[in-house]
Amino acid sequence: MQPQHRFDEGKLSAYLQGVLADFRPPLTVNQFKGGQASPTFLLHSPGQNHVLRKRSVAKKGATLAESIERDYALISALHAAGLPMGQPKLVCLDEAVIGTPFYLLEYVPGRHFRDPNLPGMDAKQRQSIYAAMAQAMAQVHQLDPLKLGLAANGSGSDYLARQVAALVQQYNANRTEDIGAMTRLLDWLPANVPQDGMTSLMHGNFRLDNLVFHPSEPRVVALLDWDVAAVGHPLADLAINCMPYRVTIPGMGSLQGIDFIDTGIPGEHDYVSSYCAARGLEGIAHWNFFLAFALFRVAVMAQGIYKRGSERGPATPAVKAYGAVVRSVANQAWNLVDGGDD
C-alpha cells in the first residue's frame, strides 16, 4: 500500500464485522496500481473478495463525502440497470473508519488487459475482445439517464461545449510555448461543436484497461473507473476509446503501425462500424470533430504533465516526451479539421 494512502486495517476489519453479516476476519488489504485521485484496494477475507474505493480529491463542487455518495449512487443505478460490474455492498461516510469516506463493491475476477495489442493472443481472440469492448460501450450508451435518475450527473446537451471550454482554459493555464496547430484549435473547436442534440450516459474514459473480461470468454464482466462519468455525448466516448489508433502516449500503448489483418485487431473504421451496428446507427456525422476533440484532450493533458515536470527543474527525457506529444497530437488534430473529410 502506498504510504500516502495507508489506513488502519484493523479498524476497517472491525467496522466490516459490524455491517456485513457474512464478513469474517482476518482481513488482507492490497492496493491496485494507479488511481491517485481515487485509490482502490482489494480486500480479501475468508471466502470473500471486495473492492474498496475512496477519494483523495473531491469532485468539483462537492465534499469528499458528497463525492463518494454520488459515485456510489451511480454505481448502484448502473448495476441495477444490468451493466456488468461488481454488486455494490455499502457506502461509508464516516471518516473515523479509514480517514476518508469510501464504498465497497463485490470483486469481479477476470482478465485485465493494459496493452491494446493484446500480446499472446491469436487473431480470432483479439477480434473477439475488440468486438466485446464495442458491445459493452454500446450497452452503456443505450441506457436512459433519466430513467436511471442521473439527469444531474452531467451537462447533457451542453456537454461538448462545456468540455471544450474547460479544456481551452486548462491549456491556456499550462501553455509554455506557441504551437500553431493548438492556437488554431483553440478557436476552431468552440466554433464547430456539433448541434445534433445527441446525449447519453457516457463513461468519460472508456479504455481497454478499464474493462475486466471473463477469465476464458471474450465477454466484459466489469466496467471500472466511473469517476468522470456524465450525461454527455456518446460519440465523445467512442472517439476517446479510439485514441490508440491515432496517438502513442508514453506508457499507454498504441495501435499505430500494426498489421490489422495479421493481428486480428480491427482497424478504426471496422471497429467504429461494429459499435454503430451494436447501437443501430447507420453512420456517424462529424466524426472528424470528435476525433479532433479527443486528440485535443490528449494534447491538453500532456501539456499539463509537461509543464509540471518542467517546473521541477531541467526537463527529463520522460517529460520531454510529453512535450513532443503535445505538438504531434495537435498537428494531427488540426489536419483532421483543416479540409479533412468529415
Side-chain angles (χ1 to χ4, degrees):
M1 191 185 303
Q2 297 180 30
Q4 68 272 29
H5 298 149
R6 290 190 182 280
F7 53 80
D8 189 328
E9 297 176 23
K11 188 176 290 187
L12 175 62
S13 180
Y15 172 79
L16 294 179
Q17 288 182 69
V19 295
L20 292 179
D22 54 353
F23 176 83
R24 291 186 297 113
L27 174 68
T28 302
V29 181
N30 292 294
Q31 185 172 2
F32 290 103
K33 291 182 179 180
Q36 294 302 307
S38 297
T40 307
F41 307 84
L42 175 62
L43 309 184
H44 175 73
S45 58
Q48 290 186 326
N49 285 313
H50 292 99
V51 173
L52 182 150
R53 194 165 175 88
K54 63 185 185 119
R55 275 192 176 277
S56 297
V57 180
K59 289 183 177 180
K60 186 176 180 180
T63 65
L64 279 174
E66 290 169 336
S67 188
I68 282 291
E69 197 167 27
R70 189 183 305 171
D71 285 353
Y72 188 75
L74 171 63
I75 295 294
S76 299
L78 297 179
H79 180 268
L83 278 190
M85 55 182 51
Q87 180 180 359
K89 302 297 284 190
L90 63 88
V91 60
C92 175
L93 306 182
D94 183 359
E95 297 185 9
V97 179
I98 65 169
T100 63
F102 66 91
Y103 62 83
L104 214 65
L105 306 175
E106 178 186 27
Y107 172 72
V108 180
R111 294 174 293 168
H112 194 195
F113 305 118
R114 294 190 177 276
D115 186 342
N117 293 278
L118 299 175
M121 291 188 174
D122 62 31
K124 184 177 180 180
Q125 289 172 322
R126 293 189 184 100
Q127 185 178 39
S128 296
I129 289 295
Y130 273 80
M133 179 165 64
Q135 178 64 45
M137 181 164 41
Q139 186 180 357
V140 171
H141 295 162
Q142 286 168 336
L143 294 177
D144 186 337
L146 291 176
K147 290 182 180 179
L148 294 173
L150 303 176
N153 222 63
S155 51
S157 60
D158 293 335
Y159 174 83
L160 283 173
R162 290 176 180 271
Q163 283 289 300
V164 169
L167 289 169
V168 167
Q169 183 179 27
Q170 185 178 339
Y171 178 76
N172 284 329
N174 291 316
R175 187 197 296 253
T176 54
E177 62 176 319
D178 289 331
I179 299 175
M182 283 298 282
T183 301
R184 292 188 288 273
L185 287 167
L186 294 174
D187 292 329
W188 188 91
L189 286 168
N192 288 275
V193 174
Q195 303 297 319
D196 57 16
M198 187 182 294
T199 60
S200 76
L201 173 69
M202 59 176 290
H203 181 276
N205 199 20
F206 201 100
R207 303 193 320 241
L208 180 66
D209 61 347
N210 277 330
L211 309 180
V212 178
F213 288 81
H214 186 276
S216 59
E217 301 173 12
R219 176 165 55 88
V220 176
V221 293
L223 300 172
L224 310 178
D225 193 11
W226 289 87
D227 289 0
V228 292
V231 178
H233 203 298
L235 299 184
D237 242 4
L238 179 62
I240 291 168
N241 182 232
C242 285
M243 284 300 93
Y245 290 108
R246 298 281 173 166
V247 298
T248 299
I249 303 173
M252 293 186 65
S254 172
L255 295 176
Q256 292 185 292
I258 73 166
D259 185 328
F260 294 112
I261 295 177
D262 182 60
T263 62
I265 295 173
E268 183 186 291
H269 179 270
D270 290 337
Y271 179 70
V272 170
S273 295
S274 68
Y275 167 84
C276 288
R279 288 283 319 277
L281 302 176
E282 294 184 1
I284 296 177
H286 312 296
W287 180 232
N288 279 6
F289 171 89
F290 292 102
L291 287 174
F293 164 78
L295 288 164
F296 181 68
R297 180 175 177 264
V298 169
V300 171
M301 290 188 292
Q303 179 63 36
I305 295 172
Y306 176 72
K307 183 180 181 182
R308 289 190 295 274
S310 300
E311 289 175 342
R312 291 195 290 265
T316 64
V319 170
K320 289 179 180 179
Y322 280 102
V325 166
V326 179
R327 185 175 293 276
S328 64
V329 171
N331 284 330
Q332 186 178 172
W334 181 248
N335 288 338
L336 279 170
V337 300
D338 185 24
D341 294 331
D342 210 18

